[in-house]
Amino acid sequence: MLNSIKLQLVIIAIWVLLFTFNGAINHLLLLYHNSYIAIIFIPAGFKITIACLLGKRVFWGLFVGSLITALLFLEETMIKHALMFALLSAASPIISIWLVNYLMPLGKKLQNLNFQKILMISVVYSIINSFLHNTYLLIGEGLTIEKYQADSLLMLTGDFLGSLIFLFLLSYYRKGILNIFHKYI
């Protein structure tokens, strides 16, 4: 139980740090579309990578981390959606990994993780995450179809690029990363 709580706290801390770092870099380089969409979204890579490693056990860490960052960094008009954003943010990588594992098993120790599967995971995750977030806003905020399409494409791009970065790092350093998480896998 204590190890699980520590794990969730580490996930929350890493999420908040990556979100803050990503925001600073993207603002500096003018790569932000708005407060919830970045052209390159590094935290998306963390979410999908940690879900690859630990599956559904990461849900609460991702949920709380997403909720904290939503409350701290979202535009004022979006704060009312913080709880739903956190839920979608935590669920989308878990759903994606489950789906990819069902179609193309990764193996318990990710021994089957290769270039094709990295692309598949990145595509599936970015589509699911972008679709869920933007469809919720389309329904809840009444986005125009044009804004829905633009935001969906930009979020898909940011999540895809962030996922590729982290998943390539995971594949390259797989054995070392697995050793760090050995007690949770």
Side-chain angles (χ1 to χ4, degrees):
M1 177 71 174
L2 188 57
N3 280 341
S4 180
I5 292 171
K6 285 181 185 176
L7 174 66
Q8 301 308 320
L9 291 173
V10 168
I11 291 169
I12 292 165
I14 292 172
W15 171 260
V16 171
L17 288 171
L18 282 174
F19 193 94
T20 304
F21 172 77
N22 194 78
I25 294 298
N26 280 304
H27 276 96
L28 181 68
L29 300 175
L30 302 175
L31 296 175
Y32 249 95
H33 177 62
N34 56 37
S35 70
Y36 65 96
I37 299 176
I39 307 305
I40 300 172
F41 194 56
I42 299 297
F46 169 70
K47 287 191 315 184
I48 197 66
T49 299
I50 200 75
C52 275
L53 289 166
L54 303 173
K56 63 185 176 185
R57 291 174 285 178
V58 301
F59 177 83
W60 289 109
L62 292 176
F63 177 79
V64 173
S66 297
L67 185 59
I68 289 168
T69 55
L71 293 172
L72 292 176
F73 297 108
L74 281 180
E75 297 166 356
E76 195 172 316
T77 57
M78 290 289 146
I79 288 180
K80 65 183 177 186
H81 301 290
L83 198 57
M84 185 56 115
F85 282 157
L87 178 64
L88 296 173
S89 186
S92 59
I94 294 166
I95 293 167
S96 301
I97 290 302
W98 175 84
L99 182 60
V100 170
N101 248 329
Y102 180 77
L103 298 173
M104 302 166 59
L106 298 171
K108 278 268 190 209
K109 298 205 181 266
L110 303 177
Q111 65 270 22
N112 300 329
L113 187 63
N114 58 29
F115 180 73
Q116 178 186 12
K117 289 183 181 157
I118 288 171
L119 285 176
M120 174 69 86
I121 292 167
S122 297
V123 167
V124 168
Y125 169 68
S126 57
I127 289 171
I128 288 173
N129 195 52
S130 176
F131 175 77
L132 290 175
H133 278 80
N134 289 295
T135 301
Y136 168 73
L137 286 175
L138 177 68
I139 295 166
E141 279 294 302
L143 292 180
T144 65
I145 293 299
E146 293 80 17
K147 178 124 173 82
Y148 173 80
Q149 291 171 335
D151 285 2
S152 294
L153 183 60
L154 288 168
M155 183 179 257
L156 187 140
T157 302
D159 289 351
F160 178 75
L161 293 173
S163 296
L164 279 180
I165 291 167
F166 261 79
L167 290 170
F168 275 118
L169 288 172
L170 173 63
S171 70
Y172 189 74
Y173 296 108
R174 181 177 62 86
K175 289 181 181 172
I177 292 170
L178 288 173
N179 285 335
I180 293 169
F181 290 101
H182 75 278
K183 60 185 165 188
Y184 301 107
I185 296 176

